[in-house]
Structure formats: structure tokens, C-alpha cells
Amino acid sequence: MRLNVNGADHELDLDPRTSLLDALREHLALTGTKKGCDHGQCGACTILVNGRRINSCLTLAIMHEGDAITTIEGLGEPGHLHPMQESFLHHDGYQCGYCTPGQIVSAVGMLKEAGKNWPSHVTETLDSEVDLTDAEISERMSGNICRCSAYPNIVDAIRTAKGRDAA
């Protein structure tokens, strides 16, 4: 099978039951995407598929042949970080760092969703642009757990990156 990851095509010979997370980590050595709960509950494995955020532990690699897959490694690189990565560094939006790649990728995807005016559970009105208040950001990021509780800094980082067109 062929996967397009971070703009590069990769030919892989995988068992059809291989999760996308395991294909990335074990077969492509892209270990930035973390395996947390392996049940889709923590968000540590969040990646973008065709620009939309998903939990890579909950999907099979074979289902994504032909899709554009973006991992944390595909957002930026040392010396040329993505605005969201820079904002997380500036605002200390991490502590132990384990959830950070999933948080960053999820935040990038979330800003794209908000930019398309997709409502969340707490969106107050459907008649105007989404206002990314702290409550709105927190709700939209609720699928990503930080066990160190760096949430205030994560929200600050996202708010700052939003102003720098980090989507």
C-alpha cells in the first residue's frame, strides 16, 4: 500500500489490521505522534487527514491510501517551526510534553474548523463567525487530555497562534 505522509509517498507492506498510528510509529519511524490510551480517549495520537483531525489509533492504515496525512513532523521543523509550535513554546503550553504533539496538531485542525464556522457544543450563535473565546477553545480541544493540566497555557497558545493564521 502507499501512504502520503507529510507530503511524501511511502510504499508499505502492512498487515491489513495495522492501525494508522502503528504504521506511522513502527513502520515509518514518525514517533512524534504518541500512543496514549490506544482507545481514542486521550488525543495524544491526533493527526490531520485531508486537513481534518482524527485519532490515528482508531483507524486502519489501509483506509487512508490516497489521503494526505500530516503529523507533527509535517507541521514544522527545527529552525522553521509552525506558528502553533512557536506559540506553544512561548506560552509553555506543555509540561511533560507527552500530549503536546497531539495538542498542537489538534489545535491546527480546530482553527481550520472554526475558520469554516463549524459550530461546537458551546457556540452561542449560528448566525455569525465563531468567536474563539476560552470556553469555545476548551470545548473544541476537549478530545485532547493533558494529564499535567497545562490547559490555561494551551488555551493562551492557541489564542495567540490564531492571530498568526496558524490554521
Side-chain angles (χ1 to χ4, degrees), residues 34-70:
K34 304 300 184 209
K35 184 179 276 198
C37 66
D38 213 20
H39 296 288
Q41 297 174 345
C42 73
C45 68
T46 304
I47 61 169
L48 301 175
V49 174
N50 298 327
R52 295 196 56 190
R53 54 191 173 152
I54 69 164
N55 292 332
S56 60
C57 71
L58 292 181
T59 188
L60 299 174
I62 199 163
M63 296 169 63
H64 297 286
E65 196 164 22
D67 290 340
I69 299 165
T70 305

Short mmCIF file of all heavy atoms in Angstrom, two decimals, residues 34-70:
data_model
loop_
_atom_site.label_atom_id
_atom_site.label_comp_id
_atom_site.label_asym_id
_atom_site.label_seq_id
_atom_site.Cartn_x
_atom_site.Cartn_y
_atom_site.Cartn_z
N LYS A 34 2.01 10.26 19.41
CA LYS A 34 2.15 9.40 20.59
C LYS A 34 1.01 8.40 20.72
O LYS A 34 -0.12 8.66 20.34
CB LYS A 34 2.19 10.25 21.87
CG LYS A 34 3.29 11.28 21.88
CD LYS A 34 4.65 10.66 21.75
CE LYS A 34 5.74 11.71 21.87
NZ LYS A 34 6.93 11.34 21.13
N LYS A 35 1.35 7.26 21.30
CA LYS A 35 0.35 6.26 21.66
C LYS A 35 0.07 6.46 23.14
O LYS A 35 0.89 6.18 23.99
CB LYS A 35 0.85 4.85 21.40
CG LYS A 35 -0.20 3.79 21.66
CD LYS A 35 0.29 2.39 21.38
CE LYS A 35 0.13 2.09 19.91
NZ LYS A 35 0.17 0.65 19.61
N GLY A 36 -1.12 6.97 23.42
CA GLY A 36 -1.50 7.21 24.81
C GLY A 36 -2.38 6.09 25.31
O GLY A 36 -1.91 5.10 25.86
N CYS A 37 -3.66 6.22 25.07
CA CYS A 37 -4.61 5.24 25.59
C CYS A 37 -4.88 4.11 24.60
O CYS A 37 -5.32 3.03 24.99
CB CYS A 37 -5.93 5.93 25.93
SG CYS A 37 -6.79 6.59 24.46
N ASP A 38 -4.65 4.35 23.31
CA ASP A 38 -4.92 3.39 22.23
C ASP A 38 -6.41 3.04 22.14
O ASP A 38 -6.78 2.00 21.63
CB ASP A 38 -4.07 2.12 22.40
CG ASP A 38 -3.68 1.51 21.06
OD1 ASP A 38 -3.72 2.22 20.04
OD2 ASP A 38 -3.33 0.31 21.04
N HIS A 39 -7.27 3.94 22.65
CA HIS A 39 -8.72 3.74 22.61
C HIS A 39 -9.46 4.99 22.13
O HIS A 39 -10.67 5.07 22.25
CB HIS A 39 -9.26 3.37 24.00
CG HIS A 39 -8.76 2.07 24.50
ND1 HIS A 39 -9.17 0.86 24.00
CD2 HIS A 39 -7.87 1.78 25.48
CE1 HIS A 39 -8.54 -0.11 24.63
NE2 HIS A 39 -7.76 0.42 25.54
N GLY A 40 -8.73 6.01 21.64
CA GLY A 40 -9.37 7.22 21.16
C GLY A 40 -9.89 8.15 22.23
O GLY A 40 -10.74 9.00 21.95
N GLN A 41 -9.40 8.03 23.44
CA GLN A 41 -9.93 8.82 24.54
C GLN A 41 -9.02 9.97 24.98
O GLN A 41 -9.48 10.87 25.66
CB GLN A 41 -10.20 7.92 25.74
CG GLN A 41 -11.25 6.89 25.46
CD GLN A 41 -11.42 5.90 26.59
OE1 GLN A 41 -10.58 5.80 27.49
NE2 GLN A 41 -12.52 5.16 26.56
N CYS A 42 -7.74 9.94 24.58
CA CYS A 42 -6.82 10.95 25.12
C CYS A 42 -6.35 11.98 24.09
O CYS A 42 -5.96 13.08 24.46
CB CYS A 42 -5.61 10.28 25.76
SG CYS A 42 -4.44 9.56 24.59
N GLY A 43 -6.37 11.66 22.81
CA GLY A 43 -5.97 12.61 21.77
C GLY A 43 -4.47 12.71 21.52
O GLY A 43 -4.05 13.49 20.68
N ALA A 44 -3.65 11.92 22.21
CA ALA A 44 -2.20 12.00 22.01
C ALA A 44 -1.81 11.61 20.59
O ALA A 44 -0.76 12.03 20.10
CB ALA A 44 -1.48 11.11 23.02
N CYS A 45 -2.64 10.84 19.92
CA CYS A 45 -2.32 10.35 18.57
C CYS A 45 -2.97 11.18 17.47
O CYS A 45 -3.02 10.76 16.31
CB CYS A 45 -2.76 8.89 18.43
SG CYS A 45 -4.57 8.69 18.48
N THR A 46 -3.43 12.39 17.79
CA THR A 46 -4.13 13.21 16.81
C THR A 46 -3.22 13.58 15.64
O THR A 46 -2.09 14.03 15.84
CB THR A 46 -4.68 14.49 17.45
OG1 THR A 46 -5.52 14.14 18.56
CG2 THR A 46 -5.47 15.32 16.46
N ILE A 47 -3.74 13.38 14.43
CA ILE A 47 -3.08 13.77 13.19
C ILE A 47 -4.13 14.44 12.31
O ILE A 47 -5.31 14.45 12.64
CB ILE A 47 -2.45 12.57 12.46
CG1 ILE A 47 -3.52 11.54 12.08
CG2 ILE A 47 -1.34 11.93 13.31
CD1 ILE A 47 -3.04 10.45 11.14
N LEU A 48 -3.69 14.98 11.18
CA LEU A 48 -4.61 15.53 10.19
C LEU A 48 -4.66 14.60 9.00
O LEU A 48 -3.62 14.17 8.50
CB LEU A 48 -4.15 16.91 9.74
CG LEU A 48 -4.02 17.98 10.83
CD1 LEU A 48 -3.44 19.27 10.24
CD2 LEU A 48 -5.35 18.26 11.49
N VAL A 49 -5.85 14.28 8.55
CA VAL A 49 -6.06 13.51 7.33
C VAL A 49 -6.93 14.37 6.42
O VAL A 49 -8.05 14.72 6.79
CB VAL A 49 -6.72 12.15 7.61
CG1 VAL A 49 -7.05 11.43 6.31
CG2 VAL A 49 -5.80 11.28 8.47
N ASN A 50 -6.35 14.75 5.29
CA ASN A 50 -7.02 15.67 4.36
C ASN A 50 -7.47 16.94 5.08
O ASN A 50 -8.54 17.48 4.84
CB ASN A 50 -8.21 14.99 3.67
CG ASN A 50 -7.76 13.80 2.84
OD1 ASN A 50 -6.67 13.80 2.27
ND2 ASN A 50 -8.59 12.79 2.76
N GLY A 51 -6.62 17.40 6.02
CA GLY A 51 -6.88 18.63 6.75
C GLY A 51 -7.78 18.51 7.96
O GLY A 51 -7.95 19.48 8.69
N ARG A 52 -8.35 17.33 8.20
CA ARG A 52 -9.25 17.14 9.34
C ARG A 52 -8.56 16.31 10.40
O ARG A 52 -7.88 15.34 10.10
CB ARG A 52 -10.54 16.46 8.90
CG ARG A 52 -11.32 17.38 7.95
CD ARG A 52 -12.73 17.01 7.75
NE ARG A 52 -13.46 16.93 9.00
CZ ARG A 52 -14.67 16.42 9.07
NH1 ARG A 52 -15.27 15.94 8.00
NH2 ARG A 52 -15.29 16.37 10.23
N ARG A 53 -8.78 16.67 11.65
CA ARG A 53 -8.12 15.96 12.75
C ARG A 53 -8.84 14.65 13.06
O ARG A 53 -10.07 14.58 13.07
CB ARG A 53 -8.01 16.84 13.98
CG ARG A 53 -9.30 17.43 14.45
CD ARG A 53 -9.07 18.48 15.51
NE ARG A 53 -10.34 19.13 15.82
CZ ARG A 53 -10.61 19.66 16.98
NH1 ARG A 53 -9.73 19.65 17.96
NH2 ARG A 53 -11.77 20.23 17.18
N ILE A 54 -8.02 13.63 13.29
CA ILE A 54 -8.55 12.31 13.67
C ILE A 54 -7.63 11.70 14.71
O ILE A 54 -6.47 12.08 14.84
CB ILE A 54 -8.69 11.35 12.47
CG1 ILE A 54 -7.33 10.93 11.93
CG2 ILE A 54 -9.58 11.93 11.38
CD1 ILE A 54 -7.38 9.71 11.03
N ASN A 55 -8.15 10.71 15.43
CA ASN A 55 -7.33 9.90 16.33
C ASN A 55 -6.79 8.74 15.50
O ASN A 55 -7.54 7.88 15.06
CB ASN A 55 -8.16 9.37 17.50
CG ASN A 55 -8.60 10.46 18.43
OD1 ASN A 55 -7.94 11.48 18.56
ND2 ASN A 55 -9.71 10.26 19.09
N SER A 56 -5.49 8.72 15.29
CA SER A 56 -4.89 7.72 14.41
C SER A 56 -4.93 6.31 14.99
O SER A 56 -4.76 5.34 14.26
CB SER A 56 -3.45 8.10 14.06
OG SER A 56 -2.64 8.22 15.20
N CYS A 57 -5.20 6.18 16.28
CA CYS A 57 -5.29 4.85 16.88
C CYS A 57 -6.61 4.17 16.55
O CYS A 57 -6.73 2.95 16.71
CB CYS A 57 -5.11 4.92 18.40
SG CYS A 57 -6.50 5.66 19.30
N LEU A 58 -7.59 4.93 16.07
CA LEU A 58 -8.93 4.38 15.83
C LEU A 58 -9.20 4.05 14.36
O LEU A 58 -10.33 3.71 14.02
CB LEU A 58 -10.00 5.37 16.30
CG LEU A 58 -10.10 5.59 17.80
CD1 LEU A 58 -11.21 6.58 18.11
CD2 LEU A 58 -10.31 4.28 18.53
N THR A 59 -8.19 4.15 13.51
CA THR A 59 -8.41 3.90 12.10
C THR A 59 -7.31 3.00 11.55
O THR A 59 -6.20 2.99 12.08
CB THR A 59 -8.50 5.23 11.32
OG1 THR A 59 -8.90 4.98 9.99
CG2 THR A 59 -7.18 5.97 11.32
N LEU A 60 -7.64 2.26 10.53
CA LEU A 60 -6.67 1.37 9.91
C LEU A 60 -5.90 2.12 8.83
O LEU A 60 -6.46 2.93 8.09
CB LEU A 60 -7.37 0.15 9.31
CG LEU A 60 -8.14 -0.72 10.28
CD1 LEU A 60 -8.90 -1.81 9.54
CD2 LEU A 60 -7.20 -1.32 11.33
N ALA A 61 -4.62 1.82 8.71
CA ALA A 61 -3.78 2.48 7.72
C ALA A 61 -4.33 2.27 6.32
O ALA A 61 -4.35 3.20 5.49
CB ALA A 61 -2.35 1.97 7.83
N ILE A 62 -4.79 1.07 6.04
CA ILE A 62 -5.27 0.73 4.70
C ILE A 62 -6.44 1.61 4.26
O ILE A 62 -6.69 1.80 3.07
CB ILE A 62 -5.62 -0.76 4.61
CG1 ILE A 62 -5.66 -1.21 3.16
CG2 ILE A 62 -6.92 -1.07 5.34
CD1 ILE A 62 -5.59 -2.71 2.99
N MET A 63 -7.16 2.18 5.20
CA MET A 63 -8.30 3.05 4.88
C MET A 63 -7.86 4.41 4.37
O MET A 63 -8.70 5.20 3.91
CB MET A 63 -9.17 3.23 6.13
CG MET A 63 -9.81 1.95 6.62
SD MET A 63 -10.57 2.10 8.25
CE MET A 63 -11.83 3.31 7.93
N HIS A 64 -6.57 4.72 4.43
CA HIS A 64 -6.10 6.07 4.12
C HIS A 64 -5.15 6.12 2.94
O HIS A 64 -4.45 7.11 2.76
CB HIS A 64 -5.50 6.71 5.38
CG HIS A 64 -6.53 6.87 6.43
ND1 HIS A 64 -7.51 7.83 6.38
CD2 HIS A 64 -6.79 6.12 7.53
CE1 HIS A 64 -8.31 7.70 7.41
NE2 HIS A 64 -7.90 6.66 8.13
N GLU A 65 -5.18 5.09 2.14
CA GLU A 65 -4.40 5.12 0.91
C GLU A 65 -4.97 6.24 0.03
O GLU A 65 -6.17 6.34 -0.18
CB GLU A 65 -4.50 3.77 0.20
CG GLU A 65 -3.44 3.58 -0.85
CD GLU A 65 -3.27 2.13 -1.26
OE1 GLU A 65 -4.21 1.33 -1.07
OE2 GLU A 65 -2.21 1.80 -1.77
N GLY A 66 -4.10 7.12 -0.43
CA GLY A 66 -4.53 8.24 -1.26
C GLY A 66 -4.86 9.50 -0.48
O GLY A 66 -5.07 10.55 -1.08
N ASP A 67 -4.95 9.42 0.84
CA ASP A 67 -5.22 10.60 1.66
C ASP A 67 -3.93 11.36 1.95
O ASP A 67 -2.84 10.79 1.94
CB ASP A 67 -5.86 10.20 2.99
CG ASP A 67 -7.28 9.70 2.84
OD1 ASP A 67 -7.92 10.00 1.82
OD2 ASP A 67 -7.75 9.00 3.76
N ALA A 68 -4.07 12.65 2.23
CA ALA A 68 -2.94 13.48 2.65
C ALA A 68 -2.89 13.45 4.17
O ALA A 68 -3.78 13.98 4.84
CB ALA A 68 -3.10 14.91 2.15
N ILE A 69 -1.87 12.83 4.72
CA ILE A 69 -1.71 12.65 6.16
C ILE A 69 -0.64 13.62 6.65
O ILE A 69 0.45 13.68 6.08
CB ILE A 69 -1.31 11.20 6.49
CG1 ILE A 69 -2.41 10.24 6.00
CG2 ILE A 69 -1.01 11.04 7.98
CD1 ILE A 69 -1.96 8.79 5.96
N THR A 70 -0.96 14.37 7.70
CA THR A 70 0.01 15.30 8.29
C THR A 70 0.18 14.96 9.76
O THR A 70 -0.79 14.90 10.51
CB THR A 70 -0.44 16.76 8.15
OG1 THR A 70 -0.70 17.04 6.77
CG2 THR A 70 0.62 17.72 8.67
#
